[in-house]
Amino acid sequence: MTRKEEIELNNVLNKGQFFINFPVMFVMFGCIGLFYYLNKIDLISRPIMLIGFVISFILGWLVWSLFIAKWRIWAFEKIDEKFHAILKNEAIQAKLIWPDGHIFEKTEIRTVEQKAKIKAINDRIEELNSAQQKKSQ
């Protein structure tokens, strides 16, 4: 991997952190702050505030579920396919995406078109990995 390709990979991951995790944290902590504030000014009770904290987490997860498929497709289209496996591993390590088959991966909200694109990307990664394994044997 050249330095330029490594920089591009890091840029894609950094944009994922910003465009995925920032909105998730904004929604979660914004809602938590709102429910806390409403409790402090006695507009809602403590149990409602606690329910609000749970709702905040759910809303944050919903934002992640909606945004991650778009980022995933964008990122893999941006990077040369010979580095897709590296991108996928780095995205998993960066906690942007979950490993294939993980229960939380199933919470991604994808359109039919997004499902097809992501499946094609994953199939291509498998093909490249198989070809690389055959080469090394």
Side-chain angles (χ1 to χ4, degrees):
M1 178 181 279
T2 68
R3 181 73 180 138
K4 184 180 177 186
E5 291 164 334
E6 190 176 324
I7 289 169
E8 185 62 31
L9 179 72
N10 286 331
N11 283 340
V12 166
L13 290 167
N14 288 337
K15 285 180 182 176
Q17 291 289 353
F18 184 76
F19 290 110
I20 302 300
N21 291 339
F22 179 74
V24 168
M25 293 299 157
F26 181 79
V27 167
M28 281 178 50
F29 291 118
C31 288
I32 287 171
L34 176 65
F35 282 104
Y36 179 77
Y37 174 74
L38 293 175
N39 175 258
K40 278 295 183 197
I41 63 170
D42 293 327
L43 207 54
I44 61 172
S45 66
R46 188 172 199 80
I48 298 296
M49 180 186 72
L50 296 175
I51 292 169
F53 287 1
V54 173
I55 290 169
S56 301
F57 177 77
I58 291 168
L59 288 176
W61 198 277
L62 180 63
V63 168
W64 176 86
S65 296
L66 290 168
F67 287 14
I68 196 63
K70 283 184 179 185
W71 175 83
R72 188 189 291 249
I73 292 166
W74 172 84
F76 283 101
E77 288 175 348
K78 198 93 166 113
I79 298 294
D80 188 320
E81 75 174 14
K82 64 185 175 188
F83 302 117
H84 280 186
I86 295 169
L87 173 60
K88 188 172 186 175
N89 288 334
E90 292 291 325
I92 291 169
Q93 287 180 358
K95 306 277 190 246
L96 280 168
I97 63 174
W98 296 96
D100 290 341
H102 192 282
I103 191 165
F104 293 144
E105 184 209 19
K106 294 174 186 357
T107 65
E108 287 184 29
I109 298 172
R110 302 173 179 171
T111 65
V112 173
E113 182 181 330
Q114 288 172 331
K115 285 178 186 178
K117 284 183 179 181
I118 291 170
K119 182 177 179 344
I121 290 166
N122 286 332
D123 290 348
R124 186 66 181 140
I125 290 171
E126 289 302 316
E127 283 177 31
L128 292 170
N129 284 344
S130 295
Q132 196 172 37
Q133 286 176 349
K134 287 179 183 176
K135 252 186 183 177
S136 65
Q137 289 177 352

